[in-house]
Amino acid sequence: MLFRSRAEGNLPPLDCINMYAEVAASENTPATLQSRRGIVDRSADMGNGPVEALYKADGVLSGDLVGVSDGNIYRNTTSLGSLAGTGPVSIAGNELGVMVAAGSTLRYYNGTTLANVTFPDSADVAHVFAGGSRFWAIREDTGKIYWTDPLEADVEALDFATAESLPDKLLQGLWIDGMAILFGANSTE
């Protein structure tokens, strides 16, 4: 790799901390240096681990870090309670608080209280996401997705939909540009 002298551009010395060389196919030189922020220890110890999920967003719980570690839900370093389930952990938040799912009982934390969400038929929840001031929850091992009313945390039995073009088992969801994008085992809605 060829690196030119900083003296050629009359620039100050460059400390190569948190930088790595990357092939620069569009440049006249064979490589360029890319910088990345350094890893910062935020002293947010969440139990003994493993950490299964982390979530942080402006406007949600004052921007605090929410995580799941070793089956427990944490806000910063404070344990809020346990999370049932052995599936992949998902955390979603909005102005009200956060919901957490791991293939079992859906949990909701409003900033003061961690509670179970009453889900239709006491079904397990595979994945949760937020969008449009609603929480969206995918019912485990089905093609059904449920939602809350805007700025509410209750899931009503008739607030659901199923895949329309190819009904299959829903796995995950994502909110983009005002739309819920649903990923199934064999399709995307």
Side-chain angles (χ1 to χ4, degrees), residues 105-170:
T105 304
L106 183 61
R107 304 294 307 262
Y108 171 66
Y109 178 66
N110 64 5
T112 56
T113 305
L114 178 67
N116 292 339
V117 174
T118 303
F119 205 75
D121 302 324
S122 300
D124 293 336
V125 175
H127 182 76
V128 64
F129 63 100
S133 297
R134 302 174 189 264
F135 288 104
W136 302 77
I138 295 175
R139 186 177 177 139
E140 181 83 9
D141 294 325
T142 70
K144 291 183 180 179
I145 183 164
Y146 290 76
W147 58 85
T148 65
D149 287 334
L151 298 176
E152 295 288 332
D154 299 322
V155 179
E156 303 295 331
L158 296 178
D159 290 342
F160 77 94
T162 56
E164 295 174 0
S165 63
L166 179 63
D168 61 349
K169 179 179 150 185
L170 288 176

Side-chain angles (χ1 to χ4, degrees), residues 26-179:
S26 64
E27 301 293 327
N28 292 332
T29 58
T32 185
L33 290 176
Q34 296 290 337
S35 63
R36 296 290 180 250
R37 287 186 177 171
I39 296 173
V40 176
D41 183 358
R42 299 176 190 266
S43 299
D45 295 329
M46 296 181 172
N48 295 327
V51 173
E52 300 166 71
L54 295 172
Y55 177 86
K56 182 176 182 167
D58 290 339
V60 178
L61 300 176
S62 301
D64 288 348
L65 181 65
V66 176
V68 174
S69 174
D70 195 28
N72 290 302
I73 302 170
Y74 287 82
R75 180 178 184 179
N76 293 324
T77 59
T78 303
S79 177
L80 304 173
S82 64
L83 176 66
T86 58
V89 176
S90 58
I91 305 172
N94 65 19
E95 300 89 350
L96 297 175
V98 295
M99 284 196 182
V100 186
S104 188
T105 304
L106 183 61
R107 304 294 307 262
Y108 171 66
Y109 178 66
N110 64 5
T112 56
T113 305
L114 178 67
N116 292 339
V117 174
T118 303
F119 205 75
D121 302 324
S122 300
D124 293 336
V125 175
H127 182 76
V128 64
F129 63 100
S133 297
R134 302 174 189 264
F135 288 104
W136 302 77
I138 295 175
R139 186 177 177 139
E140 181 83 9
D141 294 325
T142 70
K144 291 183 180 179
I145 183 164
Y146 290 76
W147 58 85
T148 65
D149 287 334
L151 298 176
E152 295 288 332
D154 299 322
V155 179
E156 303 295 331
L158 296 178
D159 290 342
F160 77 94
T162 56
E164 295 174 0
S165 63
L166 179 63
D168 61 349
K169 179 179 150 185
L170 288 176
L171 303 173
Q172 287 192 345
L174 181 64
W175 186 264
I176 298 177
D177 287 337
M179 289 189 297

